[in-house]
Amino acid sequence: MSNDVLTVEGLRVRFRGQPVDLIDGVSLSIPAGRTLCVVGESGCGKSVTSLAVMGLLPRRSATVTAGRIRFRGQDLLGLPEAALADLRGNSMAMIFQEPMTSLNPVFTVGEQVAEAVRRHTGCSAAAARDRALEMFRRVRMPAAEKRLDEYPHQLSGGMRQRVMIAMALANRPALLIADEPTTALDVTIQAQILELMRELQRDIGTALLMITHDLGVVAEIADDVAVMYAGRVVESGPVAQIFNAPQHPYTLGLMGSMPAIAGRAGRLLTIPGAVPVPEAMPPGCRFASRCPFAIPACDAQVPPLVRGPDGHAHACLRAPLEDHVGQDRTGDDRTGHDRTGRGAA
Amino acid sequence: MTDIILEARDLHRRFVTGGGLLQRATTIHAVGGVSLRIRRGETFAIVGESGCGKSTLARLLLRLIEPSSGSVHYDGRDLTALPPRDMRALRAQMQFIFQDPFSSLNPRMTVDRIVGEPLRLHLGLSGAALRARVAGLLTRVGLRPEHADRYPHEFSGGQRQRICIARALASGPKLLVGDEPVSALDVSVQAQIVNLLEDLKADLGLTLVVIAHDLAVIRHMADRVAVMYLGEIVEMAATEDLFTAPRHPYTRALLRAIPIPAPGGRMSGPAPGGRMADAGGAEPAGAVLGGDIPSPAAPPPGCRFHTRCAHATALCATTPPPLAEVTPGTQVACHHWAALPPAADAALRVPARSPAAEARFALYRAASERSRTTTHRETAP
């Protein structure tokens, strides 16, 4: 759709010395003004995907082996570095988890925000400073004018993240990528930052790609969700569909392993084992080695991402589970091969 | 009378930082007058945000650090008065699990030495008996005995936390204190460790003290909860009471801030244009708590929460409220608790899961229990 600010199609990324593509055919798209949350656990490839979009993958060790990344109709993968640098911080911006390591400790935060403005607009130093102050007020920095001249170490974690947001949004980007922006923050501060991001996104109309492992944050901020596991999107769709009718066993396992904030509901569900290492990646569905519903066919083929009419897509041969599970137990022939130990390094 | 395994009486701990030629030393009052009683066999949780002193309190409870004043009593014995030798012997009964399984294991020791050390020190085991016991402990926490000769770096985060738990269990403790024992782990691994801790508690009759910032983990695991803010306990109650009838304004703000993992959760109301209060300002009920946590080096006078509290009055700015019992089993440190909006209105509200989702979770639960009991894959037509 031409309305999409960002489209990623069939992205594959391989790290040097590894036998398989870590990112294995990821497709995503985000329309203007919408929020897509990419959710998954460590090593699922959610951060690598976002770095690929920003053109920030380490060139020596990671290669995009296939796929297309289109940003406002422009193919990013073919762009020279100088053109990418003009886009980054300007029409597409990124916020990282730990604001302390993203800010330069020897410049004041005001200088750093102003620099981002000058780099891309070429305005005067005074105008850039004015813009920085305006942004500080918009992100509700307490005592905004005074904070402009302070250094990152003088600010709290929540205030540093406000600086990052001010810097990222100063040039009114069409796309904002936020990688676990509230994970390092306390819960009351997280609530402030999430509310701020929603409000600013609405005002500016930015498309937001949010990377998180926290399903609570997803429910709060997402319009659409993509669940990733071991470098593939296993389920995606509108946020209500994902929560109200989860299809993929990994999504179920992930949701079920969260303690219910509504109160104890028996033992937590678990996903046995661990994410497979690249050297032992299952040939078919990458979740098959840990999936309680897996059948031999799951090992034989990569399940395609099947999209329903409501935009809800899943990559599971066994979905919908209620149609498939139960019937195969009538014979009760447990002659399948032993699957313990596989993938659980 | 309830059976008290551990009691803290008016614990204080001050740290002095900085100080030198050019800098004046600052004193941080990390824990300021905490008293609590932990019942034998319960899971007691301490919750709070960064800098609230919960980790310091956890260390004080096991005398891993010395209090500035106050005392800790374990089974009626004053730990703070014990000579080092007796304290060391008593440590077999009380063990600590740290947050970060990466830094709390010696990278140059193999797993059998890590887990075996308490067995040698406290129980005097050696040789085959030691090896058998280590193998038993590893199995108990879900590791394989063949892992014994490996080094910590060969394990994932979840497995390392299992090693830490095996080490903590080795000396046969009665009390386990975990400082954020699951918060460094991915959610599916976290679930495995939470289940493991609960199984161990039930099987071995342990008392658990869990320090956490994740309220969902606390609601799942704990029988009672203490909420800390800037070194003080502001509310202590049975877990269900805390979540369904929170009394202290800070507890209420914490509950409001939890992102609810269900569409139509916390932020589903009318779009916020300014729902967030400005730092330090008054805020309407239901608002996100404004402002930052004050520095523990310069805590506000009076009630430490008054700078962020919508209900604060002049009294709060000058006089610290005592932690007082307001209903049986619930203690609150707030001058105005009785005049606040009804506690039930502040209860955490979570929309129910859809029936379709519930049905699939039930399928998942049944299938994973089946595959746990059999090592064979179910086959399909």
Side-chain angles (χ1 to χ4, degrees):
Chain A
M1 252 183 23
S2 56
N3 182 29
D4 289 342
V5 173
L6 177 76
T7 25
V8 175
E9 286 165 33
L11 181 71
R12 305 177 78 92
V13 177
R14 181 172 299 214
F15 279 78
R16 204 162 67 170
Q18 291 193 345
V20 293
D21 291 331
L22 180 80
I23 301 296
D24 189 36
V26 164
S27 300
L28 307 165
S29 62
I30 318 175
R34 301 271 289 183
T35 298
L36 171 71
C37 274
V38 178
V39 62
E41 298 180 284
S42 314
C44 73
K46 54 196 194 298
S47 292
V48 171
T49 303
S50 64
L51 289 176
V53 170
M54 292 296 282
L56 292 174
L57 283 176
R59 277 166 198 276
R60 289 166 160 270
S61 56
T63 324
V64 174
T65 52
R68 286 209 302 179
I69 301 174
R70 289 156 64 83
F71 173 63
R72 299 208 281 186
Q74 192 175 19
D75 193 342
L76 292 187
L77 288 176
L79 277 191
E81 178 55 34
L84 264 180
D86 283 340
L87 290 178
R88 282 196 298 257
N90 191 18
S91 54
M92 57 188 213
M94 187 155 181
I95 304 171
F96 296 90
Q97 172 173 350
E98 183 35 78
M100 193 61 199
T101 53
S102 321
L103 289 168
N104 190 327
V106 300
F107 291 98
T108 65
V109 290
E111 283 167 346
Q112 295 184 55
V113 176
E115 189 203 349
V117 176
R118 290 193 74 188
R119 163 72 175 78
H120 294 291
T121 63
C123 66
S124 72
R129 189 183 156 89
D130 286 348
R131 177 73 179 147
L133 178 60
E134 186 193 334
M135 284 313 295
F136 270 33
R137 292 200 170 118
R138 288 200 64 178
V139 299
R140 300 223 182 78
M141 180 74 85
E145 203 149 358
K146 175 173 153 254
R147 298 289 177 198
L148 277 181
D149 298 317
E150 293 193 337
Y151 291 89
H153 76 267
Q154 293 172 288
L155 306 181
S156 70
M159 284 195 271
R160 281 181 209 136
Q161 204 56 293
R162 285 176 202 267
V163 172
M164 291 307 299
I165 294 171
M167 192 186 303
L169 297 180
N171 294 319
R172 306 179 72 88
L175 172 68
L176 175 64
I177 299 182
D179 189 349
E180 304 267 10
T182 58
T183 304
L185 304 175
D186 279 314
V187 61
T188 60
I189 308 300
Q190 164 172 285
Q192 296 171 2
I193 297 292
L194 287 178
E195 192 151 313
L196 177 68
M197 289 181 69
R198 278 175 20 133
E199 184 190 319
L200 292 177
Q201 184 203 15
R202 203 176 42 240
D203 293 355
I204 298 176
T206 301
L208 175 60
L209 173 61
M210 173 93 122
I211 305 206
T212 182
H213 70 282
D214 185 334
L215 289 163
V217 171
V218 173
E220 208 151 88
I221 202 160
D223 297 307
D224 299 293
V225 181
V227 182
M228 282 187 73
Y229 180 79
R232 292 189 188 136
V233 174
V234 296
E235 181 160 5
S236 68
V239 63
Q241 302 286 336
I242 299 291
F243 280 95
N244 292 335
Q247 290 278 8
H248 198 281
Y250 176 66
T251 311
L252 290 170
L254 193 65
M255 289 179 173
S257 32
M258 291 184 49
I261 190 64
R264 192 182 168 89
R267 265 172 89 83
L268 296 177
L269 293 187
T270 57
I271 304 172
V275 180
V277 294
E279 290 73 26
M281 199 59 86
C285 171
R286 289 183 169 183
F287 187 60
S289 59
R290 306 173 71 190
C291 179
F293 303 109
I295 53 173
C298 300
D299 279 336
Q301 64 178 100
V302 178
L305 195 65
V306 183
R307 188 172 301 275
D310 52 0
H312 189 175
H314 59 80
C316 180
L317 299 178
R318 308 278 282 156
L321 290 170
E322 56 274 18
D323 291 356
H324 293 106
V325 178
Q327 292 152 8
D328 47 85
R329 268 189 299 143
T330 47
D332 200 28
D333 50 342
R334 292 205 169 112
T335 49
H337 50 279
D338 181 3
R339 45 185 278 272
T340 53
R342 271 196 313 127
Chain B
M1 202 188 122
T2 11
D3 188 9
I4 302 299
I5 186 167
L6 192 73
E7 178 176 6
R9 291 185 197 157
D10 198 25
L11 275 180
H12 287 262
R13 173 67 205 210
R14 284 175 286 271
F15 293 102
V16 178
T17 62
L21 276 178
L22 299 170
Q23 230 185 349
R24 188 141 12 116
T26 37
T27 303
I28 293 171
H29 207 151
V31 171
V34 165
S35 300
L36 50 82
R37 293 167 144 210
I38 292 158
R39 300 170 191 157
R40 195 180 308 278
E42 75 173 340
T43 299
F44 187 87
I46 302 170
V47 63
E49 298 181 284
S50 334
C52 75
K54 56 191 192 294
S55 292
T56 304
L57 176 60
R59 283 158 179 75
L60 288 172
L61 289 179
L62 292 196
R63 206 183 154 198
L64 296 181
I65 53 176
E66 301 290 335
S68 303
S69 67
S71 58
V72 180
H73 301 258
Y74 174 78
D75 259 344
R77 297 167 77 182
D78 185 353
L79 294 186
T80 38
L82 279 187
R85 197 186 166 78
D86 296 354
M87 188 65 221
R88 260 201 308 279
L90 203 54
R91 288 210 180 282
Q93 296 185 29
M94 45 176 83
Q95 287 288 319
F96 203 88
I97 301 168
F98 294 90
Q99 170 174 4
D100 184 1
F102 293 81
S103 60
S104 55
L105 294 172
N106 186 335
R108 297 164 67 159
M109 284 167 76
T110 55
V111 169
D112 58 348
R113 280 185 61 205
I114 289 170
V115 177
E117 200 164 36
L119 294 169
R120 287 191 295 110
L121 291 176
H122 288 297
L123 307 179
L125 291 184
S126 63
L130 177 66
R131 276 196 302 279
R133 195 66 167 269
V134 168
L137 283 163
L138 291 180
T139 312
R140 188 70 195 78
V141 299
L143 294 170
R144 281 183 248 152
E146 309 91 89
H147 289 157
D149 54 0
R150 294 193 191 171
Y151 289 90
H153 75 266
E154 297 176 73
F155 295 91
S156 67
Q159 287 173 317
R160 281 183 225 203
Q161 200 58 294
R162 291 178 194 269
I163 299 170
C164 293
I165 293 170
R167 173 178 63 183
L169 292 178
S171 61
K174 300 195 168 89
L175 173 70
L176 272 188
V177 177
D179 184 4
E180 302 269 13
V182 297
S183 57
L185 307 173
D186 266 323
V187 57
S188 72
V189 182
Q190 170 178 303
Q192 296 171 5
I193 301 295
V194 166
N195 284 350
L196 173 65
L197 284 172
E198 295 200 322
D199 292 345
L200 292 170
K201 177 181 177 251
D203 295 350
L204 307 174
L206 299 171
T207 303
L208 284 183
V209 178
V210 180
I211 316 297
H213 69 278
D214 184 335
L215 288 147
V217 169
I218 283 172
R219 188 162 200 187
H220 182 79
M221 290 185 79
D223 299 309
R224 289 196 303 142
V225 186
V227 181
M228 286 187 78
Y229 187 76
L230 280 176
E232 293 171 354
I233 292 178
V234 297
E235 181 159 0
M236 186 150 48
T239 305
E240 272 319 289
D241 293 343
L242 191 93
F243 281 88
T244 54
R247 302 276 177 180
H248 196 281
Y250 178 62
T251 312
R252 294 180 178 188
L254 267 187
L255 295 189
R256 280 200 306 273
I258 304 173
I260 304 295
R266 191 175 67 90
M267 284 197 172
S268 61
R275 258 212 314 162
M276 186 168 63
D278 283 329
E283 57 201 88
V288 167
L289 185 64
D292 266 326
I293 303 161
S295 161
C303 171
R304 291 186 171 186
F305 186 60
H306 84 263
T307 54
R308 301 172 79 192
C309 181
H311 309 282
T313 60
L315 173 69
C316 304
T318 54
T319 313
L323 186 66
E325 182 154 83
V326 298
T327 57
T330 299
Q331 291 173 287
V332 175
C334 176
H335 291 302
H336 304 301
W337 70 269
L340 296 180
D345 293 356
L348 184 75
R349 274 180 238 293
V350 182
R353 261 182 194 153
S354 73
E358 274 309 342
R360 290 199 184 126
F361 282 114
L363 284 174
Y364 187 96
R365 186 180 292 279
S368 49
E369 263 150 34
R370 264 206 315 284
S371 62
R372 239 188 355 173
T373 50
T374 168
T375 53
H376 292 295
R377 160 175 300 177
E378 60 174 345
T379 49

